[in-house]
Amino acid sequence: MPSFDSRNVAVLVGNGLSIAFNPDLNLRAITAEMMDRIQSATDEGNDVVAAMREIAQRALPQGVNSEDDFEMLVGAFGAETRTLSYLDQLAALTEPKKKKLRKAIKRVAAFAERVRDTGLSHVLEVIFERSVSNHEDARNLHAFVEAVTTTFDGKVVFANLNYDTLLLAALLHVCQSDVTDMGHGFRKVRVTTRTGEETEVPALRATASDFPVGRRVQLIHLHGSVTFWSNAPKTIFAKLDRAFLESHDQWNSVREQKTNIRPVVVLANQKDKSAHVEEHPFKLAYEMFVTGLQNADHWLVVGYSFKDDPVNAKLREEFAEREEKPKVLVVTFGDQPSRKEVARAFGWGKEDGSSKSWLTINRDGANGIQNTDDWSDFIA
């Protein structure tokens, strides 16, 4: 059990937080919009468009019916690429002299990559366009962020599972001089824009030592962000701000293959997520998340469904190490997930007795949580 000189908190944020402060980021609505854009796409080339539509139709043959359909759709775009990568590795081992076979696999894999990038560009473009709040919602989000960052005067680590920029904007508004994210403060990388020009943009941090010690508030994107980009060989990792994405029409740049970078995010089904998060920059994000959990005796979970296996694994591992359990407040909206499901995600079973000694669940949503009795009990 670590020694706490200050009040530290680890905050895990899921899609429920984004929805609470911008209903347009509801996953069902996003998925429906994505399907509409995929079906009406005309600008990427006939073969790519046809393949993209076929994948979407195969993933959701009955259309959009639930929030779970988002993961089904985005996971489908990456599945073929990963399969072809395994085929290439297998061919190299079993038929190393058959150059034509290897060449054919690589050609198909390159096409699959383009289909993937095109599909995901539509996914992230929708999220990017909706990553804004009206004045009232933004003010409420700022109030929540201010409550968290002022109540806890030690290290505050936000581990964000969302791809949107709502939380980033709120943190910059509330505590800009005290916050750091995964974008490097001074190291730059060069990327190609739609016009063919090269320009310098901030790099993503490469190691934990890249994070400045003096900034007590950290924002970690566990599964990436609309602002995270890399080149195909994964030798360049960049952070592109909203102004860059808008001014360079970056989403169309991807679809038209007029940029050397593409989004780097974990948009995958549950089966593939565990492999994705072992890659950079997600591996670093999970490392920082675990450090945040280890150094805090208060864990705040907001708008998370407890359905991500890699995330649950880290929660369980650190929770199991604690002789004295952390104080946990889970903020959700409605009846799901149940107390049993939440406790089980932390590795707490029936044989361990009641979870009420360490776990509080508030089911009224994130908006205004700082004004509730559950919050007062959590921070006491």
Side-chain angles (χ1 to χ4, degrees), residues 82-92 102 105:
R82 187 166 289 273
T83 299
L84 287 166
S85 174
Y86 293 146
L87 278 178
D88 186 40
Q89 295 173 26
L90 182 62
R102 296 284 308 282
I105 292 174

Side-chain angles (χ1 to χ4, degrees), residues 31 35 55-64 68-70 72-73:
T31 309
M35 290 290 285
I55 290 172
Q57 181 61 35
R58 195 171 62 213
L60 299 177
Q62 306 302 320
V64 181
D68 292 338
D69 290 339
F70 177 83
M72 290 287 292
L73 180 58

Side-chain angles (χ1 to χ4, degrees), residues 18 176 179 213 218 354 368:
S18 294
Q176 182 169 6
V179 67
V213 177
Q218 290 182 348
S354 174

Side-chain angles (χ1 to χ4, degrees), residues 10 41 99 118 169 179 201:
K99 294 182 179 180
T118 300
V179 67
V201 296

Side-chain angles (χ1 to χ4, degrees), residues 233-353:
K234 300 296 179 69
T235 57
I236 293 174
F237 289 90
K239 181 188 173 187
L240 308 183
D241 61 22
R242 286 191 65 90
F244 185 101
L245 293 170
E246 289 173 343
S247 62
H248 293 285
D249 195 9
Q250 194 64 20
W251 311 110
N252 274 321
S253 296
V254 171
R255 294 192 281 269
E256 296 171 2
Q257 295 185 296
K258 292 183 177 179
T259 178
N260 67 329
I261 52 175
R262 62 186 187 178
V264 54
V265 288
V266 177
L267 284 172
N269 55 38
Q270 287 296 333
K271 183 179 180 181
D272 290 335
K273 275 185 180 178
S274 296
H276 276 283
V277 300
E278 289 300 315
E279 301 170 357
H280 185 73
F282 319 115
K283 186 174 183 179
L284 173 60
Y286 270 77
E287 177 186 340
M288 301 301 294
F289 173 47
V290 169
T291 299
L293 293 174
Q294 292 172 342
N295 292 334
D297 56 359
H298 289 75
W299 295 359
L300 174 62
V301 182
V302 183
Y304 172 52
S305 64
F306 290 91
K307 293 181 179 179
D308 271 300
D309 293 337
V311 176
N312 292 348
K314 298 304 181 186
L315 291 174
R316 272 195 308 276
E317 288 168 12
E318 178 52 29
F319 191 84
E321 291 296 314
R322 298 293 188 93
E323 184 175 342
E324 183 178 342
K325 300 306 181 185
K327 208 170 191 179
V328 180
L329 172 61
V330 172
V331 181
T332 186
F333 188 76
D335 297 335
Q336 298 299 320
S338 68
R339 173 173 284 273
K340 181 185 293 186
E341 289 170 329
V342 173
R344 188 178 298 143
F346 286 93
W348 191 269
K350 184 177 181 180
E351 67 280 5
D352 296 308

